[in-house]
Amino acid sequence: LADGGWVRVRRQGTRHLYRVDLDGLDGSALRLWRLVHEQLASTAVVQQDAQRLDAALAARRERSRSFFDEGAAEWDALRDTLFGAQLDQQVLLGLLDPALVVGDLACGTGRLATRLAPCVGQIIAVDASAAMRDAARARLDAAGLLGDDAACTVDLRAGTLEQLPIADAALDVAFLTLALHHVAAPARALAEVHRVLRPGGRLLLLDMAPHDREDYRHTMGHAWLGFGADEVARLLAEAQLEPASPTHAYRLLPDDPDAQGPGLFASVARRPLDAHS
C-alpha cells in the first residue's frame, strides 16, 4: 500500500504509524477507496477495531494522567531540568493587550497563568489532573490572583484537551505548552482549540521537536515523540487552523544550555475569520 501511494508511513521511535493518503490518490483510486470504505464502515470487524482504538487511546490517557497525579510535587523541578527555568518567557512576547481573554490549556501547576495574569484581562486555566489543579490553585492564591480583589480573573477548571470546558469562541488566545505530546488524539485537541477560539483568535503552540527518547513513554506517559513541521502543518490544517504567518508556522527555539530535554519548537496559528467578518 505504501509503495502504491495509498498510505504514508511515519516513524515514532520504535513504532511505525500508517495513515491513508487520500491526497495522493488519483481519481479512480479515490473512488475505489470511498466505495470500499462505505461498504466496510458498518461491519462488525471495523466496529471492533474502533472499540480497540478507543481502548488504546484511553490507556494512553491514563498513563499520562497517572504520571501527573503522582508527580505533581516534583513536576516543576523536572520541567526545569528538561527544558530550562526561562521557558515560559519565550511565549509571552505577543501578549501586550490587557483586554485579552486567554486559555492556558493543560495549565499544570499554574506557572504560565501566574506570569500571564498581570498582562491580560482574563485567564481560563484548564487541567485534567486534580493534583496539578491543586498546585495551580495554591500558586495562584499565593500570588493574589484568585478572588474578587484580583486584578485579573483566573478561572481554574477541570477538563481534558479533547473536551475543553470552555464555551464556543470564548478565547482571544490559547496557549498549549508542552502538552500536545501527552494527548492520545492530537487532532481532537486541536479541533477543540478551534472551537473555543473566536474568529481571528490565535493558538500559541510550544512542544518538542522529533526525538528518539523512547523511555519518555514509560517514565512520563508521553504519547508522541515530538512533532515535525510537516506533522504540525497537517494537524493544524485538519483542525481548520492556519499559520499566523509563514515565519510562525514552525520555528525551532534556541537551545537552553542548562536544559537536558529535546529541542523545542513554537508554532503560532489562528482561527480564520468567518466569511461575514
Side-chain angles (χ1 to χ4, degrees):
L1 291 175
D3 291 341
W6 287 78
V7 298
R8 289 187 180 181
V9 185
R10 184 167 61 88
R11 184 175 178 179
Q12 276 274 317
T14 58
R15 302 180 182 183
H16 289 82
L17 305 178
Y18 301 85
R19 62 183 296 269
V20 176
D21 183 18
L22 298 181
D23 293 335
L25 299 180
D26 60 29
S28 59
L30 185 58
R31 288 193 296 272
L32 176 60
W33 161 255
R34 288 173 175 167
L35 177 63
V36 173
H37 183 270
E38 180 180 354
Q39 293 296 321
L40 293 179
S42 60
T43 64
V45 172
V46 171
Q47 292 175 359
Q48 290 171 0
D49 284 345
Q51 292 174 355
R52 293 190 184 99
L53 174 60
D54 288 342
L57 294 177
R60 292 180 186 179
R61 294 187 192 100
E62 185 56 34
R63 284 198 298 271
S64 293
R65 187 172 302 178
S66 295
F67 165 74
F68 285 117
D69 283 343
E70 295 172 4
E74 294 80 25
W75 172 243
D76 285 349
L78 175 60
R79 193 171 188 246
D80 288 349
T81 299
L82 291 176
F83 306 114
Q86 302 303 312
L87 168 66
D88 297 329
Q89 281 79 351
Q90 299 185 63
V91 294
L92 298 179
L93 299 179
L95 297 182
L96 301 177
D97 186 346
L100 288 175
V101 178
V102 176
D104 185 5
L105 311 180
C107 66
T109 60
R111 288 177 63 167
L112 181 58
T114 301
R115 294 176 181 177
L116 283 175
C119 307
V120 300
Q122 181 184 17
I123 295 176
I124 301 175
V126 178
D127 205 278
S129 167
M132 286 289 185
R133 292 195 305 277
D134 288 344
R137 187 174 294 105
R139 169 176 267 141
L140 291 164
D141 188 45
L145 297 172
L146 296 178
D148 296 336
D149 296 334
C152 171
T153 301
V154 180
D155 188 351
L156 187 59
R157 302 178 184 180
T160 67
L161 292 175
E162 296 104 321
Q163 194 170 4
L164 291 169
I166 301 175
D168 294 354
L171 303 180
D172 297 301
V173 176
F175 279 90
L176 197 52
T177 306
L178 291 175
L180 196 63
H181 62 269
H182 280 286
V183 179
R188 296 184 191 178
L190 292 175
E192 274 291 272
V193 172
H194 177 277
R195 179 184 65 79
V196 300
L197 281 176
R198 64 168 177 79
R202 295 196 176 196
L203 163 67
L204 280 73
L205 173 63
L206 175 68
D207 216 298
M208 291 182 290
H211 63 87
D212 294 320
R213 305 194 185 189
E214 184 75 25
D215 58 300
Y216 284 7
R217 294 188 190 277
H218 311 293
T219 58
M220 291 184 284
H222 288 199
W224 305 94
L225 301 183
F227 301 92
D230 290 346
E231 182 69 1
V232 170
R234 180 183 69 81
L235 288 169
L236 292 175
E238 288 182 1
Q240 300 180 57
L241 297 168
E242 60 185 24
S245 72
T247 58
H248 290 91
Y250 186 95
R251 181 170 58 90
L252 293 174
L253 300 183
D255 292 332
D256 186 323
D258 296 325
Q260 300 178 20
L264 302 174
F265 74 88
S267 179
V268 184
R270 63 191 289 271
R271 175 176 171 174
L273 293 171
D274 295 336
H276 59 273
S277 297

